[in-house]
Amino acid sequence: MSSHETAAADNDRATAPGQLTGAAIIVALVSAVSGMLYGYDTGIISGALLQITKDFGIEESWKQVIAASILLGAVIGALTCSYLSEKRGRKGTLLMLAVVFVVGALWCAVAPNPFVLSLGRLVLGFAVGGATQTAPMYVAELAPPKYRGRLVLCFQIAIGVGIVIATIVGATEHIPWRWSIGAAAVPAAIMLVLLLRLPESPRWLVKNDRGDDARDVLERVRPSGYDVDGELAEMEELTRKEQTAKTRGWPGLREAWVRPALILGCGIAIFTQLSGIEMIIYYSPTILTDNGFSESVALEVSVALGVSYLVAQLVGLSIIDKVGRRRLTLIMIPGAAVSLFVLGTLFVTGNSGRDSVPFIIACLVVFMLFNAGGLQLMGWLTGSETYPLAVRPAGTAVQSAALWGTNLLITLTLLTLISGIGVGPAMWLYGLFNVAAWLFVYFRMPDLTGRSLEEIESKLSDGKFRPADFAR
């Protein structure tokens, strides 16, 4: 089957009759729960740190370790689960991760000291990193083409929902931090129960010579009247191409023609973190209280930032295909940079007192809107679009590790950096990172909007992966 025939077949199935099956809806729920756990488990530490600091009597170094331990676990989880999802299956890996989510949440809830708490956060991080690697892939391989985009979208939107819930819980100062962190075990248990009702990925079954099982799965998750035979034949053809490709797996990432995709994916992942998003999510209450703000005000600001993140993501995702990935990112980054430069100036000039509270909050919210609605959308999207089929699992694993690794570095050093140079200069530094991100996008990121995966791979193999090569 040629690429044109494949595209035509995809289009026919995208307009096939029928509604979503119950299994497909449960797939979307699993994606949503895993995304929400990612947002909640990473965001809950923002408000909880204020209580943890009092309970354990810790200083900045321990605060950074507690906040960052989940990120180290995420790096390990992303790399490990790339291997596990290929060897043990997508569903099997997600079942394991659901159990780890439950264990990690309960572990943190009963931790008697900061060391044990950090180890529990490390365990949670493994689940978070593994979920970001496995859940979107599982959903994409089970979802009907007509609904694939919307179902995969559940994961990204749910991250924002998890962050909002975490900030609201954190702002409710009457909820002890042990309860707020341990509560994540409930949705994780729900995720585990939902997964027990779901089948394995048909794509993984085909790759493991279980074509009959793959057919049974497709008949279960596709509506009546759907061309199951055609989709199964496509899976078998793509599997043959992947298994016979000269460039495949982890060794394939070293190929010169793949390198531009790897540079783009990892570069975007790194700049999503250097832009300052995690600094704001994790440490905004700590930064504000350390500079004279009351805890209640700091936590209310955290809620406003969480809501801004979710709203910006919803708006950005609704317009990204109309505006274009590259154009939207180039438009939004300057707004985030300017807000950080203004915020830094307020602190450097001593205008960070009570009279300046509205301006500081406005800068934080504006930053969140421009950052979450632009650059943050690209962090996970580029991995699903840029890598050739035969190296896609390895490429997305490296990209996830780059994202979480940068996040880890920032989280481990931010409070120390602020103690050394001050809040204002730190904000300026992250503003400069946004300038660098804009330059990177301008010179390295082509606009992949509306391009098929086959067309993107063809451009890559022809050595035409610069922005000018994709100009319409």
Side-chain angles (χ1 to χ4, degrees), residues 28-63:
L29 287 175
V30 167
S31 174
V33 173
S34 63
M36 189 198 70
L37 285 168
Y38 163 18
Y40 185 87
D41 285 329
T42 55
I44 193 63
I45 200 64
S46 176
L49 266 181
L50 298 178
Q51 295 184 32
I52 292 170
T53 300
K54 294 177 181 178
D55 282 3
F56 291 150
I58 55 178
E59 302 296 334
E60 275 73 11
S61 57
W62 265 117
K63 292 180 190 178

Side-chain angles (χ1 to χ4, degrees), residues 7 28 50 77-78 91 160-161 167 183-184 192 225 229 245 281 309 317 324-325 331 377 390 392 433 453:
L50 298 178
K91 177 186 174 180
V161 173
T167 56
L192 178 62
D229 290 335
I281 290 177
Y309 179 97
L317 287 165
R325 286 135 171 77
I331 289 172
L377 294 175
R392 194 165 296 150
F433 285 146
L453 297 180

Side-chain angles (χ1 to χ4, degrees), residues 302-386:
S302 186
V303 173
L305 294 176
V307 172
S308 299
Y309 179 97
L310 178 58
V311 170
Q313 289 263 296
L314 289 169
V315 173
L317 287 165
S318 69
I319 65 174
I320 190 170
D321 288 325
K322 298 176 183 177
V323 178
R325 286 135 171 77
R326 172 181 161 84
R327 182 183 300 174
L328 180 64
T329 310
L330 291 174
I331 289 172
M332 299 297 276
I333 290 176
V338 170
S339 64
L340 288 178
F341 285 132
V342 173
L343 187 60
T345 302
L346 288 174
F347 279 97
V348 168
T349 58
N351 293 303
S352 57
R354 182 169 298 178
D355 293 340
S356 300
V357 168
F359 300 104
I360 292 174
I361 294 175
C363 286
L364 289 169
V365 171
V366 168
F367 165 81
M368 188 63 78
L369 290 172
F370 277 97
N371 187 271
L375 187 59
Q376 294 306 315
L377 294 175
M378 301 301 114
W380 303 113
L381 186 59
T382 52
S384 66
E385 294 182 329
T386 57

Side-chain angles (χ1 to χ4, degrees), residues 291-309:
N291 285 274
F293 286 69
S294 67
E295 285 191 11
S296 59
V297 170
L299 292 171
E300 288 169 4
V301 171
S302 186
V303 173
L305 294 176
V307 172
S308 299
Y309 179 97

Side-chain angles (χ1 to χ4, degrees), residues 139-162:
V139 174
E141 292 178 353
L142 269 171
K146 181 178 180 180
Y147 298 99
R148 181 174 296 140
R150 276 167 280 183
L151 295 186
V152 174
L153 180 65
C154 290
F155 180 80
Q156 182 132 10
I157 294 300
I159 294 172
V161 173

